[in-house]
Amino acid sequence: MYKTVLFDLDGTLLNTIDDLADAGNRMCAARGWPTHTSDQFRYLVGNGIPKLIERLAPEGHNTPAELEEAYHAFDEIYDAHMFDKTRPYPGMPDLLAELAAAGVKMAVFSNKDDALARRVVAHYFDTSLFALVRGALPDVPKKPAPEGTLALMQAVGADPASTLYVGDSNVDVLTGKNAGLPCCGVLWGFRTEQELRDAGATYLAADTRQLKQVVLGQH
C-alpha cells in the first residue's frame, strides 16, 4: 500500500482539454495563427502554459514580446472560460474519498500556474482531501524536473519508499522517475498507453477502480 499519492491535474484528475483547446484557439484566431483540434492539443499541453504558447506560435511570430502578449491573451480567455467544459474524470471524486478514508495522504502537483491550479482544484473537489495543492512556482523548474516534486514531498512529510506519482503522460512518468518514485500511468487522460509504456510507467490503470487497487496494494 502506498501511504502518499501525488496526482497530476490535467488529464489525470480533470478532463480540461476542451477548455484549454478553446482558449488556445480563440487566442490563435485573434492573431491569425493556425488553430488546432482538441486531439492535437493533447500533445501540445503538459509542460505549462508558456510552453503551450511557444508550440502554438507559428514561425516568425515567436519573439519574446509576441509570446508574452499571446500568453496574457490566453490567460485572460482561459480565466473566463476554464469551467465551461472541464469535468472530473468518471469515478474520481469517489476514489479520492475512498483513498482518504483508507488513510492515504494525497497532494496535487501540476505544471499549471500555482494560483490557477489551486483555484481549479477548489472548484471541482473537496480540498480537505489534499494535504497540499501545488502548481508551477517562479524559479522552480517545471515537471519533469525533480526539484518541485521533492519540495512537495518534504512539505507533506512523504516517505519516498511509500509514495506513488499518478499521471497521464510521459512527463508524469519522468517526473516520478526523476524524483525516485514509481508512477502509475492512467489510460483515461490526454496521451496513449503506448507513450506511458515507452516512458516506463511502473503501473497502468484503465479506470479509477484499477488505480485504487494499485494504491492499496490489491493489484
Side-chain angles (χ1 to χ4, degrees):
M1 173 178 171
Y2 289 100
K3 296 180 179 179
T4 305
V5 178
L6 311 181
F7 287 96
D8 172 51
L9 180 55
D10 297 65
T12 301
L13 295 177
L14 292 173
N15 186 353
T16 57
I17 197 64
D18 288 333
D19 285 333
L20 288 167
D22 287 350
N25 282 333
R26 289 178 188 178
M27 181 276 294
C28 288
R31 282 160 177 72
W33 295 2
T35 56
H36 305 272
T37 66
S38 289
D39 278 344
Q40 289 172 320
F41 265 88
R42 291 174 182 269
Y43 293 89
L44 295 170
V45 300
N47 299 94
I49 300 304
K51 180 58 70 173
L52 170 64
I53 301 304
E54 288 181 26
R55 291 168 175 165
L56 291 173
E59 187 175 354
H61 294 275
N62 52 6
T63 65
E66 284 183 287
L67 293 176
E68 181 74 10
E69 181 184 348
Y71 171 84
H72 288 297
F74 175 94
D75 192 52
E76 183 176 337
I77 297 167
Y78 187 62
D79 186 70
H81 295 280
M82 63 184 180
F83 303 135
D84 288 0
K85 300 176 182 177
T86 292
R87 296 291 183 272
Y89 283 103
M92 188 55 68
D94 289 341
L95 171 68
L96 297 176
E98 290 167 2
L99 293 181
V104 177
K105 183 184 297 182
M106 295 177 289
V108 178
F109 187 33
S110 173
N111 272 339
K112 259 183 164 55
D113 173 78
D114 184 63
L116 187 58
R118 287 186 281 109
R119 182 180 168 197
V120 172
V121 170
H123 184 86
Y124 290 102
F125 298 109
D126 175 1
T127 55
S128 69
L129 296 173
F130 299 109
L132 189 62
V133 176
R134 180 165 290 175
L137 295 169
D139 304 321
V140 177
K142 290 184 174 61
K143 299 186 299 182
E147 289 88 344
T149 312
L150 296 174
L152 174 58
M153 291 170 63
Q154 183 176 20
V156 302
D159 178 359
S162 59
T163 299
L164 176 71
Y165 196 88
V166 178
D168 69 302
S169 73
N170 56 359
V171 172
D172 296 307
V173 177
L174 292 174
T175 296
K177 283 186 173 182
N178 291 342
L181 303 177
C183 179
C184 182
V186 301
L187 304 184
W188 56 77
F190 297 168
R191 303 293 180 84
T192 65
E193 177 178 349
Q194 192 62 52
E195 175 177 307
L196 293 166
R197 288 187 182 278
D198 289 346
T202 316
Y203 313 97
L204 294 173
D207 53 33
T208 54
R209 179 187 59 84
Q210 289 186 0
L211 178 54
K212 179 182 176 181
Q213 291 173 340
V214 170
V215 174
L216 299 183
Q218 300 168 347
H219 58 284

